Amino acid sequence: MHKSLLVTAGVIGLAFLMTTAVWSADQHDSAVDLGRSATDEEIRAWDIDVAPDGQGLPPGHGTVAQGAQIYAMRCAGCHGPTGREGPQNVLVGGHKSLQTVKPLKTIGSYWPYATTVYDYLRRAMPANAPQSLTPNELYALVAWLLYQNGIIAENVELDHDSLPRVEMPNRNGFRLDPRPDVR
Amino acid sequence: MSRNTGDEKKTSNHVPRSALPTRRQFLTSGVSLLAMSASSTLFGAQDEETRAPIDPMRVPGLSPRPYGERSRFERQTRLVAGTFSTTPLQDLQGIMTPSALHFERHHNGVPTIDPTRHRLLIHGLIDRPMVFTVEELMRFPSTSRLAFLECSGNSRDGWGEAQDVTVQALHGLTSTSEWTGVKLSTLLDKVQKQRDATWMLAEGGDAAGLARSVPLTDDVLNNAIVCYGQNGEALRPEQGYPLRLLLPGFEGNINVKWLRRLKLGSAPFMTRWETATYTDLMPDGTAYQFSLVMDAKSVITKPSGQQQLQPGFYEIQGLAWSGRGRITSVEVTSDAGRTWQEARLQEPVLPTCHTRFRLPWRWDGRETIIQSRCTDETGYRQPTRDALINVRGVRSIYHYNAIQSWKIQRNGFVSNIYA
């Protein structure tokens, strides 16, 4: 009798100790004193993404005409004189081609947000010198690409205010993953 | 079947007496001879072509070396094509992929990153924006697990005409490794994630600055790892050295490599890689977006495309995997789908990992078609190509996971067909 009581007490005690051990391991995970606070300056330097609502767009502006010059110098070698020729990704055209047997997915026919064009050019283009374009050059390039795709007029100047308000033709062309869709 | 190194001369134990060095020659030559260029007169018993001793028991072997390499008789390699390379699935054993054979895909080259200069920034909808060094992340409590990674563009040739190529060329953008790091949730606790933070931008430090929006679901928060280790050592450069995100079961590219920044927000960030690419175009002109989980897939790797069979016994082997958990069953047909047999799943059988299946088989020399189809723990069964195309058409590029058919011709040659 006494013996079984002792065993019971022991089991309860052990369970308590194990609970405590697990609890302190969890506490330990988030209480580790590692890393340091990021300064505002660091965050500004690294925070290069641009959201569909325009958050992240820097000050600056650019016109279609300025974009044409920059495109010819920095982009045409890979994407062709008008953005239709390649050899790298075709950037212009493909309007209303998505339901056909030969869909042509370009900035004009497929991309849902104009802000994504700015974001992508800023972080990745030109491929041989990424992150070398200034905000004004980027606004101008985006303007030229949108103009070539018939989305904005030739005299439009883009900046952090007007770019997010550009409506892309395929803005509503996407739906959330419905899989499993095949039975 | 794909090797050509096993001819009789090299594997024979029978050595003519005259070819062996005498005891005296052997003693005086000593170990130093090993360092000299191999010469058939000194060693006597070397194979002319391979320069390997005909009887390795009569020649001292090699010294220890600081970083090991496989036997020089092993020739399996990745198949390199443009911006990716594929794993030789037909040559793998078990479920692990050697790090050196793990598939690659990158968007502007593999960056060279000094780990002492690399930083991870976490900011956005959190209370404490923080910067971590790699060394600091390695001092957090660690976690480790096996997981497959598969490019969502794997098997994409399946949407088009049947290509007469190997299983590696068709399906080799998938690999399994052990991944080690710190749980994402540990870091998000540390920086005090805010309640309305439902999405997270993960950004790479490569020359594409590849970035993806990750939905912060319970599944992601429970399973995501910020990794620094792969198969017992540091990540390979092609796999994100010194840091990568691991989201078990999700398409390859969202497991962002060379990870430098996590930004929490309340909506997806709509980067190029979740709008212009990695979205699945349907026949009606709309596209699936954030189709992140890799559905179950299986493929027979032995025998497989471009291999040559002789009538007789073979163990059919292959790999099956699912982003939704464990593989529970693989069925195999060797008579073009008339009958299906349950294959044996080879341990270990782990969630979101390659799982090896096996089935003994005797090829009778007649023309036939072999196929495998798998089921995962959610009850999802791998579809036929017709069923897949019936829903998605042939222009969606990504997430092709239909049943693979191998045709075995009367002459024993194996080729890719649609059946």
Side-chain angles (χ1 to χ4, degrees):
Chain A
M1 187 68 184
H2 277 271
K3 204 172 176 183
S4 67
L5 261 180
L6 272 178
V7 169
T8 311
V11 168
I12 292 170
L14 191 61
F16 176 74
L17 279 176
M18 285 169 69
T19 316
T20 318
V22 168
W23 177 83
S24 49
D26 279 351
Q27 284 302 101
H28 183 64
D29 277 15
S30 53
V32 174
D33 184 23
L34 292 167
R36 61 170 176 79
S37 295
T39 66
D40 290 345
E41 199 179 338
E42 278 172 324
I43 295 172
R44 260 199 306 279
W46 284 43
D47 188 9
I48 58 171
D49 63 275
V50 175
D53 64 4
Q55 266 191 63
L57 281 172
H61 50 85
T63 64
V64 172
Q66 290 162 344
Q69 287 189 339
I70 299 158
Y71 179 87
M73 245 171 1
R74 307 293 300 271
C75 319
C78 291
H79 296 281
T82 72
R84 294 173 179 83
E85 301 85 357
Q88 296 299 325
N89 288 5
V90 175
L91 309 174
V92 174
H95 189 53
K96 289 195 187 296
S97 72
L98 298 182
Q99 333 181 21
T100 69
V101 293
K102 282 204 168 171
L104 181 59
K105 295 192 278 187
T106 71
I107 290 170
S109 69
Y110 197 60
W111 293 42
Y113 303 99
T115 47
T116 305
V117 186
Y118 190 102
D119 175 282
Y120 181 64
L121 298 186
R122 178 199 226 180
R123 66 175 66 243
M125 287 290 127
N128 61 359
Q131 304 200 12
S132 62
L133 296 167
T134 66
N136 285 353
E137 289 175 321
L138 288 164
Y139 280 114
L141 266 180
V142 175
W144 186 84
L145 288 165
L146 295 178
Y147 167 68
Q148 284 293 305
N149 276 293
I151 295 167
I152 62 172
E154 194 169 6
N155 59 357
V156 170
E157 185 180 65
L158 286 182
D159 59 20
H160 70 280
D161 185 48
S162 57
L163 176 58
R165 290 193 275 113
V166 172
E167 248 194 59
M168 300 295 274
N170 198 38
R171 169 67 185 81
N172 298 314
F174 296 84
R175 47 183 161 143
L176 266 181
D177 179 17
R179 297 172 308 150
D181 55 347
V182 181
R183 303 284 171 187
Chain B
M1 276 165 259
S2 59
R3 294 182 210 174
N4 54 5
T5 50
D7 67 89
E8 203 173 291
K9 186 168 60 168
K10 281 167 257 164
T11 52
S12 170
N13 281 324
H14 179 75
V15 180
R17 191 116 195 103
S18 60
L20 299 172
T22 64
R23 180 178 161 80
R24 178 172 294 272
Q25 277 172 336
F26 178 76
L27 287 175
T28 52
S29 64
V31 178
S32 65
L33 280 180
L34 288 173
M36 299 171 62
S37 70
S39 131
S40 56
T41 50
L42 281 176
F43 281 90
Q46 269 198 350
D47 181 276
E48 290 280 328
E49 192 188 329
T50 66
R51 304 204 155 188
I54 287 174
D55 185 353
M57 294 182 76
R58 292 174 183 254
V59 186
L62 303 174
S63 305
R65 47 190 172 179
Y67 195 86
E69 282 176 37
R70 63 182 172 179
S71 161
R72 62 186 165 89
F73 295 100
E74 296 300 310
R75 305 281 165 78
Q76 309 91 315
T77 56
R78 295 188 285 216
L79 205 60
V80 176
T83 57
F84 64 90
S85 72
T86 55
T87 293
L89 299 179
Q90 69 281 1
D91 298 320
L92 297 185
Q93 314 288 352
I95 65 167
M96 301 294 293
T97 309
S99 299
L101 296 176
H102 192 294
F103 84 88
E104 311 165 69
R105 167 78 172 105
H106 21 85
H107 294 77
N108 199 0
V110 177
T112 302
I113 297 177
D114 174 352
T116 64
R117 292 184 56 208
H118 192 75
R119 300 287 182 273
L120 175 66
L121 169 67
I122 310 182
H123 70 120
L125 294 180
I126 58 174
D127 288 345
R128 291 189 63 196
M130 292 191 76
V131 175
F132 299 94
T133 64
V134 178
E135 190 265 340
E136 284 167 336
L137 293 172
M138 292 172 86
R139 285 168 58 198
F140 273 90
S142 72
T143 186
S144 204
R145 65 167 291 167
L146 272 60
F148 81 83
L149 281 179
E150 183 184 16
C151 178
S152 50
N154 193 25
S155 321
R156 63 186 281 178
D157 283 352
W159 299 113
E161 300 287 308
Q163 306 290 315
D164 195 11
V165 293
T166 63
V167 67
Q168 174 174 15
L170 288 170
H171 304 293
L173 291 171
T174 184
S175 307
T176 290
S177 288
E178 182 187 357
W179 304 99
T180 305
V182 51
K183 288 185 73 169
L184 174 68
S185 59
T186 301
L187 297 178
L188 295 185
D189 285 350
K190 174 84 183 160
V191 300
Q192 294 165 27
K193 177 175 88 71
Q194 293 170 9
R195 274 182 147 234
D196 52 346
T198 50
W199 288 84
M200 176 180 79
L201 184 77
E203 183 178 80
D206 59 328
L210 186 140
R212 289 289 322 250
S213 303
V214 180
L216 292 178
T217 60
D218 287 347
D219 173 53
V220 165
L221 289 171
N222 287 331
N223 294 308
I225 304 175
V226 173
C227 299
Y228 42 77
Q230 178 190 4
N231 296 333
E233 60 183 349
L235 294 170
R236 290 290 166 108
E238 303 94 311
Q239 293 310 317
Y241 182 84
L243 292 177
R244 86 170 306 163
L245 188 62
L246 179 76
L247 299 162
F250 279 15
E251 63 183 3
N253 71 81
I254 199 169
N255 296 263
V256 173
K257 301 185 280 191
W258 315 293
L259 186 68
R260 71 157 206 158
R261 186 164 74 101
L262 298 173
K263 180 183 187 178
L264 282 79
S266 56
F269 294 78
M270 300 299 181
T271 69
R272 173 184 184 261
W273 297 278
E274 53 213 23
T275 55
T277 62
Y278 302 115
T279 47
D280 311 358
L281 185 63
M282 295 296 121
D284 69 357
T286 68
Y288 296 175
Q289 193 176 26
F290 299 108
S291 44
L292 300 176
V293 178
M294 298 308 292
D295 279 328
K297 189 191 285 188
S298 73
V299 59
I300 293 171
T301 57
K302 300 174 186 179
S304 60
Q306 308 296 297
Q307 294 180 350
Q308 178 69 48
L309 307 188
Q310 304 296 330
F313 175 80
Y314 288 91
E315 182 175 61
I316 291 176
Q317 284 199 13
L319 294 169
W321 60 96
S322 169
R324 301 186 196 274
R326 274 185 181 76
I327 291 295
T328 52
S329 156
V330 179
E331 297 161 283
V332 169
T333 178
S334 56
D335 56 11
R338 275 190 294 280
T339 59
W340 292 85
Q341 274 181 282
E342 193 77 24
R344 177 170 294 189
L345 303 186
Q346 178 172 292
E347 293 290 335
V349 178
L350 299 169
T352 61
C353 280
H354 284 175
T355 298
R356 183 162 294 268
F357 61 89
R358 306 186 279 118
L359 187 74
W361 171 61
R362 182 170 292 280
W363 184 48
D364 58 11
R366 275 185 288 194
E367 183 175 296
T368 190
I369 292 167
I370 59 172
Q371 300 171 318
S372 65
R373 65 182 182 204
C374 65
T375 305
D376 70 18
E377 64 180 79
T378 69
Y380 174 92
R381 191 159 86 171
Q382 184 180 11
T384 64
R385 184 169 185 273
D386 285 348
L388 187 66
I389 284 174
N390 192 35
V391 173
R392 300 198 198 150
V394 295
R395 312 285 167 204
S396 63
I397 301 176
Y398 309 103
H399 301 289
Y400 182 92
N401 70 325
I403 291 170
Q404 166 69 46
S405 306
W406 300 118
K407 179 177 183 173
I408 298 161
Q409 296 168 18
R410 198 159 303 160
N411 65 8
F413 189 72
V414 186
S415 54
N416 172 34
I417 60 148
Y418 296 145

